[in-house]
Amino acid sequence: MHFTTLASGSSGNAILIGEDNRHLLVDCGISGKSLLHNLSQVNLSCSGIEGIVVTHEHVDHIRGVGILARKLKIPIYATSGLWKVMSHSLGKLAEDQRIEVEESFSCAGLNVILYPTSHDSRESYGLKISRPKEKDKKDLAVGIATDSGIITEEMHRHLKGCDALIVEANYDDQRLQYGPYPAYLKKRIRGKFGHLDNKQVAEGLLEWIQENTQRVILAHLSQENNTPEIALSTVLGILRDSKGSKNLSNVPVHVAPRHSPHELMMLME
């Protein structure tokens, strides 16, 4: 099982998860052309993408969804609530490309669980993506959580013990406080329906990382209110100083690039 971020941040988001030559795409907030270019940078073919899962309707998550679905002739998976608010933004689609889903479904041979996050959109979801249980294969799962102003009980329930985690580290509180954003926007970002800061996600990782966790990617960093260096040093510092019985300092933590893909990550059996 493998995964990567193809773009990450307020300028556009896309995550690829797959196994062998089958893949699913989580969001496409960049142009279809940019996504296909970034995909080629990790030596993957677009022909293996079997569907797009939408987490919420903000433009940095759906900008290229309709175009890419038409080009690749693949379905889009979203809840009924999301279809109501984003259909007009996606353009014309064939009837079999509009897949309405609820809490769990399958795509590209993988099991997908949607769980709610806390964000200022009609609906917003995190995901737990795993491969079906087989007696000769180890269970593997990737947990995804971006766009949430708080850490919810659902996040704890679905992210704890995942083999890989792609989680939001949107802002550094000091940079936000003294940065150029107007007061109303700072309040929105810090609020219950905004985004997670570096310390919040690090505290979540203290719970979510278990002995089987192989990789963590910090995603959706703010260009103005964070830097990869600050996010990484803050999270690693909190993990290193944790008082629990788990040794969290040995888990590799990476930062998702904004416009380019992260190197393809492979989960070990």
Side-chain angles (χ1 to χ4, degrees), residues 4-7 37-42 257 259-264:
T4 187
T5 58
L6 296 170
H37 171 76
N38 289 358
L39 194 64
S40 71
Q41 300 303 297
V42 290
H259 299 291
S260 58
H262 193 284
E263 65 176 303
L264 194 67

Side-chain angles (χ1 to χ4, degrees), residues 185-235:
L185 187 52
K186 293 179 181 180
K187 183 178 180 181
R188 177 248 170 189
I189 291 169
R190 281 195 178 114
K192 178 180 179 181
F193 303 107
H195 292 280
L196 295 176
D197 69 22
N198 299 331
K199 290 181 179 178
Q200 285 175 294
V201 77
E203 289 164 359
L205 288 168
L206 293 176
E207 297 291 327
W208 304 333
I209 293 174
Q210 301 293 305
E211 289 183 1
N212 61 298
T213 304
Q214 300 179 34
R215 300 278 183 180
V216 174
I217 295 184
L218 305 179
H220 214 306
L221 272 67
S222 168
Q223 189 166 16
E224 294 79 13
N225 304 309
N226 210 354
T227 69
E229 295 77 17
I230 290 174
L232 202 56
S233 64
T234 300
V235 170

Side-chain angles (χ1 to χ4, degrees), residues 3 39 52 64 67 107 133 143 159 177 189 209 217:
F3 65 99
L39 194 64
I52 307 171
I67 293 170
C107 177
K133 292 182 179 180
L159 297 180
Q177 181 177 347
I189 291 169
I209 293 174
I217 295 184

Side-chain angles (χ1 to χ4, degrees), residues 3 24 31 37 74 85 93 106 145 160 171 177-178 188 200 228:
F3 65 99
L24 67 87
S31 70
H37 171 76
I74 57 175
V85 293
L93 296 166
S106 295
K160 186 174 182 177
Y171 67 97
Q177 181 177 347
Y178 297 107
R188 177 248 170 189
Q200 285 175 294

Side-chain angles (χ1 to χ4, degrees), residues 47-266:
S47 63
I49 300 177
E50 298 185 15
I52 307 171
V53 183
V54 177
T55 63
H56 65 291
E57 77 275 13
H58 286 169
V59 69
D60 59 323
H61 291 258
I62 67 166
R63 182 179 285 110
V65 167
I67 293 170
L68 194 69
R70 284 187 290 276
K71 181 176 180 62
L72 301 183
K73 295 180 172 59
I74 57 175
I76 301 165
Y77 297 81
T79 63
S80 60
L82 289 180
W83 277 116
K84 288 176 183 177
V85 293
M86 72 177 184
S87 289
H88 68 283
S89 300
L90 301 186
K92 187 175 181 180
L93 296 166
E95 196 61 36
D96 61 357
Q97 290 182 291
R98 298 170 54 94
I99 308 296
E100 188 174 305
V101 297
E102 297 184 352
E103 181 180 285
S104 62
F105 58 97
S106 295
C107 177
L110 299 171
N111 295 329
V112 181
I113 294 175
L114 297 177
Y115 63 88
T117 58
S118 181
H119 195 52
D120 55 358
S121 55
R122 164 65 184 261
E123 296 178 10
S124 182
Y125 297 97
L127 301 94
K128 183 176 182 179
I129 300 172
S130 59
R131 64 183 184 188
K133 292 182 179 180
E134 297 181 21
K135 64 179 181 179
D136 58 337
K137 288 186 176 182
K138 177 185 175 184
D139 294 344
L140 292 173
V142 178
I144 300 171
T146 64
D147 298 88
S148 189
I150 57 172
I151 291 176
T152 65
E153 286 302 316
E154 289 89 351
M155 291 168 72
H156 281 311
R157 181 154 52 93
H158 292 290
L159 297 180
K160 186 174 182 177
C162 283
D163 298 274
L165 294 160
I166 303 173
V167 290
E168 174 176 78
N170 182 256
Y171 67 97
D172 172 75
D173 196 61
Q174 289 295 305
R175 285 180 71 96
L176 177 64
Q177 181 177 347
Y178 297 107
Y181 279 10
Y184 80 89
L185 187 52
K186 293 179 181 180
K187 183 178 180 181
R188 177 248 170 189
I189 291 169
R190 281 195 178 114
K192 178 180 179 181
F193 303 107
H195 292 280
L196 295 176
D197 69 22
N198 299 331
K199 290 181 179 178
Q200 285 175 294
V201 77
E203 289 164 359
L205 288 168
L206 293 176
E207 297 291 327
W208 304 333
I209 293 174
Q210 301 293 305
E211 289 183 1
N212 61 298
T213 304
Q214 300 179 34
R215 300 278 183 180
V216 174
I217 295 184
L218 305 179
H220 214 306
L221 272 67
S222 168
Q223 189 166 16
E224 294 79 13
N225 304 309
N226 210 354
T227 69
E229 295 77 17
I230 290 174
L232 202 56
S233 64
T234 300
V235 170
L236 289 177
I238 291 173
L239 296 183
R240 183 184 59 244
D241 296 339
S242 63
K243 307 297 185 189
S245 58
K246 296 179 290 185
N247 183 3
L248 304 181
S249 61
N250 291 332
V251 178
V253 180
H254 312 262
V255 177
R258 176 170 294 274
H259 299 291
S260 58
H262 193 284
E263 65 176 303
L264 194 67
M265 295 284 191
M266 306 295 296

